[in-house]
Short mmCIF file of all heavy atoms in Angstrom, two decimals:
data_model
loop_
_atom_site.label_atom_id
_atom_site.label_comp_id
_atom_site.label_asym_id
_atom_site.label_seq_id
_atom_site.Cartn_x
_atom_site.Cartn_y
_atom_site.Cartn_z
N PRO C 1 1.88 -13.68 0.67
CA PRO C 1 2.98 -14.38 1.31
C PRO C 1 2.50 -15.53 2.16
O PRO C 1 1.31 -15.53 2.64
CB PRO C 1 3.62 -13.27 2.14
CG PRO C 1 2.52 -12.38 2.49
CD PRO C 1 1.60 -12.39 1.17
N PRO C 2 3.31 -16.48 2.47
CA PRO C 2 2.81 -17.68 3.30
C PRO C 2 2.39 -17.26 4.72
O PRO C 2 1.55 -17.95 5.25
CB PRO C 2 4.13 -18.55 3.37
CG PRO C 2 4.95 -18.23 2.23
CD PRO C 2 4.72 -16.71 1.98
N SER C 3 2.92 -16.12 5.14
CA SER C 3 2.61 -15.71 6.56
C SER C 3 1.28 -14.99 6.64
O SER C 3 0.77 -14.66 7.73
CB SER C 3 3.69 -14.86 7.13
OG SER C 3 3.86 -13.68 6.42
N ALA C 4 0.75 -14.67 5.47
CA ALA C 4 -0.53 -13.88 5.47
C ALA C 4 -1.69 -14.67 5.98
O ALA C 4 -1.77 -15.92 5.65
CB ALA C 4 -0.80 -13.36 4.12
N GLN C 5 -2.59 -14.06 6.67
CA GLN C 5 -3.76 -14.76 7.23
C GLN C 5 -4.94 -14.12 6.60
O GLN C 5 -4.93 -13.18 6.05
CB GLN C 5 -3.77 -14.66 8.74
CG GLN C 5 -2.58 -15.16 9.57
CD GLN C 5 -2.70 -14.89 11.04
OE1 GLN C 5 -3.62 -14.20 11.49
NE2 GLN C 5 -1.69 -15.27 11.81
N ALA C 6 -6.00 -14.96 6.66
CA ALA C 6 -7.25 -14.48 6.03
C ALA C 6 -7.80 -13.38 6.94
O ALA C 6 -7.73 -13.37 8.15
CB ALA C 6 -8.30 -15.62 6.04
N GLY C 7 -8.50 -12.39 6.18
CA GLY C 7 -9.11 -11.25 6.83
C GLY C 7 -8.08 -10.19 7.34
O GLY C 7 -8.42 -9.29 8.09
N VAL C 8 -6.88 -10.19 6.68
CA VAL C 8 -5.83 -9.11 7.03
C VAL C 8 -6.32 -7.81 6.38
O VAL C 8 -6.83 -7.79 5.25
CB VAL C 8 -4.41 -9.54 6.50
CG1 VAL C 8 -4.37 -9.67 4.96
CG2 VAL C 8 -3.43 -8.60 6.97
N THR C 9 -5.94 -6.75 7.05
CA THR C 9 -6.28 -5.37 6.58
C THR C 9 -5.08 -4.48 6.74
O THR C 9 -4.49 -4.45 7.83
CB THR C 9 -7.49 -4.75 7.33
OG1 THR C 9 -8.54 -5.70 7.20
CG2 THR C 9 -7.90 -3.40 6.82
N CYS C 10 -4.80 -3.56 5.68
CA CYS C 10 -3.65 -2.67 5.74
C CYS C 10 -4.15 -1.30 5.20
O CYS C 10 -4.94 -1.27 4.22
CB CYS C 10 -2.50 -3.20 4.96
SG CYS C 10 -1.74 -4.68 5.56
N THR C 11 -3.57 -0.18 5.83
CA THR C 11 -3.82 1.10 5.19
C THR C 11 -2.59 1.55 4.53
O THR C 11 -1.42 1.35 5.04
CB THR C 11 -4.05 2.16 6.37
OG1 THR C 11 -3.01 2.17 7.30
CG2 THR C 11 -5.39 1.77 7.14
N VAL C 12 -2.74 1.98 3.27
CA VAL C 12 -1.62 2.25 2.43
C VAL C 12 -1.76 3.74 1.89
O VAL C 12 -2.82 4.23 1.47
CB VAL C 12 -1.53 1.35 1.28
CG1 VAL C 12 -0.30 1.53 0.37
CG2 VAL C 12 -1.59 -0.15 1.73
N SER C 13 -0.61 4.51 1.95
CA SER C 13 -0.47 5.85 1.35
C SER C 13 0.26 5.74 -0.06
O SER C 13 1.38 5.20 -0.12
CB SER C 13 0.33 6.75 2.19
OG SER C 13 -0.35 6.94 3.46
N VAL C 14 -0.45 6.22 -1.11
CA VAL C 14 0.02 6.10 -2.39
C VAL C 14 0.17 7.52 -3.07
O VAL C 14 -0.77 8.27 -2.99
CB VAL C 14 -0.86 5.13 -3.33
CG1 VAL C 14 -0.31 5.09 -4.62
CG2 VAL C 14 -0.93 3.75 -2.67
N SER C 15 1.25 7.80 -3.67
CA SER C 15 1.41 9.08 -4.43
C SER C 15 1.57 8.71 -5.87
O SER C 15 2.26 7.76 -6.29
CB SER C 15 2.74 9.79 -3.96
OG SER C 15 2.58 10.19 -2.67
N GLN C 16 0.80 9.49 -6.72
CA GLN C 16 0.73 9.24 -8.15
C GLN C 16 0.77 10.53 -8.90
O GLN C 16 0.61 11.63 -8.31
CB GLN C 16 -0.53 8.51 -8.48
CG GLN C 16 -1.82 9.30 -8.22
CD GLN C 16 -3.06 8.58 -8.73
OE1 GLN C 16 -2.94 7.54 -9.59
NE2 GLN C 16 -4.26 9.00 -8.21
N VAL C 17 1.03 10.52 -10.16
CA VAL C 17 0.99 11.69 -11.06
C VAL C 17 -0.12 11.45 -12.00
O VAL C 17 -0.64 10.38 -12.18
CB VAL C 17 2.42 11.77 -11.79
CG1 VAL C 17 3.49 12.04 -10.86
CG2 VAL C 17 2.61 10.54 -12.69
N PRO C 18 -0.52 12.52 -12.64
CA PRO C 18 -1.60 12.38 -13.63
C PRO C 18 -1.25 11.26 -14.67
O PRO C 18 -0.14 11.25 -15.18
CB PRO C 18 -1.69 13.78 -14.28
CG PRO C 18 -1.26 14.72 -13.29
CD PRO C 18 -0.21 13.96 -12.55
N GLY C 19 -2.22 10.43 -14.93
CA GLY C 19 -1.95 9.31 -15.76
C GLY C 19 -1.89 8.01 -14.93
O GLY C 19 -1.82 6.96 -15.50
N GLY C 20 -1.89 8.13 -13.59
CA GLY C 20 -1.80 6.95 -12.73
C GLY C 20 -0.49 6.42 -12.37
O GLY C 20 -0.41 5.39 -11.77
N GLU C 21 0.64 6.96 -12.82
CA GLU C 21 1.89 6.38 -12.58
C GLU C 21 2.24 6.61 -11.04
O GLU C 21 2.21 7.71 -10.48
CB GLU C 21 3.02 7.14 -13.33
CG GLU C 21 4.40 6.54 -13.16
CD GLU C 21 4.42 5.17 -13.93
OE1 GLU C 21 3.62 4.92 -14.82
OE2 GLU C 21 5.26 4.36 -13.50
N VAL C 22 2.54 5.52 -10.35
CA VAL C 22 2.86 5.52 -8.92
C VAL C 22 4.31 6.03 -8.71
O VAL C 22 5.26 5.51 -9.30
CB VAL C 22 2.65 4.11 -8.27
CG1 VAL C 22 3.07 4.16 -6.86
CG2 VAL C 22 1.19 3.69 -8.48
N THR C 23 4.47 6.91 -7.76
CA THR C 23 5.83 7.53 -7.53
C THR C 23 6.31 7.08 -6.15
O THR C 23 7.49 7.00 -5.97
CB THR C 23 5.79 9.01 -7.55
OG1 THR C 23 4.72 9.57 -6.57
CG2 THR C 23 5.41 9.55 -8.90
N SER C 24 5.39 6.79 -5.20
CA SER C 24 5.80 6.24 -3.88
C SER C 24 4.70 5.47 -3.23
O SER C 24 3.56 5.78 -3.57
CB SER C 24 6.31 7.43 -2.90
OG SER C 24 5.19 8.20 -2.71
N VAL C 25 5.12 4.50 -2.34
CA VAL C 25 4.17 3.68 -1.59
C VAL C 25 4.71 3.66 -0.14
O VAL C 25 5.87 3.46 0.12
CB VAL C 25 4.03 2.29 -2.21
CG1 VAL C 25 3.06 1.46 -1.35
CG2 VAL C 25 3.55 2.42 -3.61
N ARG C 26 3.76 3.72 0.81
CA ARG C 26 4.18 3.47 2.20
C ARG C 26 2.94 2.75 2.89
O ARG C 26 1.81 3.27 2.87
CB ARG C 26 4.44 4.76 3.00
CG ARG C 26 4.93 4.52 4.36
CD ARG C 26 5.34 5.88 5.08
NE ARG C 26 4.04 6.66 5.40
CZ ARG C 26 3.64 7.74 4.83
NH1 ARG C 26 4.41 8.27 3.73
NH2 ARG C 26 2.66 8.40 5.17
N VAL C 27 3.30 1.54 3.53
CA VAL C 27 2.28 0.78 4.24
C VAL C 27 2.18 1.46 5.66
O VAL C 27 3.25 1.31 6.30
CB VAL C 27 2.54 -0.63 4.28
CG1 VAL C 27 1.50 -1.35 5.11
CG2 VAL C 27 2.59 -1.19 2.84
N ASN C 28 1.21 2.06 6.07
CA ASN C 28 1.19 2.66 7.34
C ASN C 28 0.94 1.76 8.49
O ASN C 28 1.64 1.76 9.49
CB ASN C 28 -0.02 3.76 7.41
CG ASN C 28 0.23 4.91 6.35
OD1 ASN C 28 1.33 5.29 6.17
ND2 ASN C 28 -0.83 5.43 5.74
N SER C 29 -0.05 0.79 8.31
CA SER C 29 -0.29 -0.16 9.36
C SER C 29 -1.01 -1.35 8.72
O SER C 29 -1.57 -1.32 7.64
CB SER C 29 -1.10 0.38 10.52
OG SER C 29 -2.36 0.75 10.05
N CYS C 30 -0.89 -2.44 9.47
CA CYS C 30 -1.61 -3.75 9.04
C CYS C 30 -2.21 -4.35 10.35
O CYS C 30 -1.79 -4.10 11.51
CB CYS C 30 -0.65 -4.75 8.45
SG CYS C 30 -0.10 -4.19 6.78
#
């Protein structure tokens, strides 16, 4: 996005099923 700055870091929680299909995503912090 245009507002993104260099060196940004985020922690993300990802839930998946066997086969790698993503079921949910939540960005905890940036």
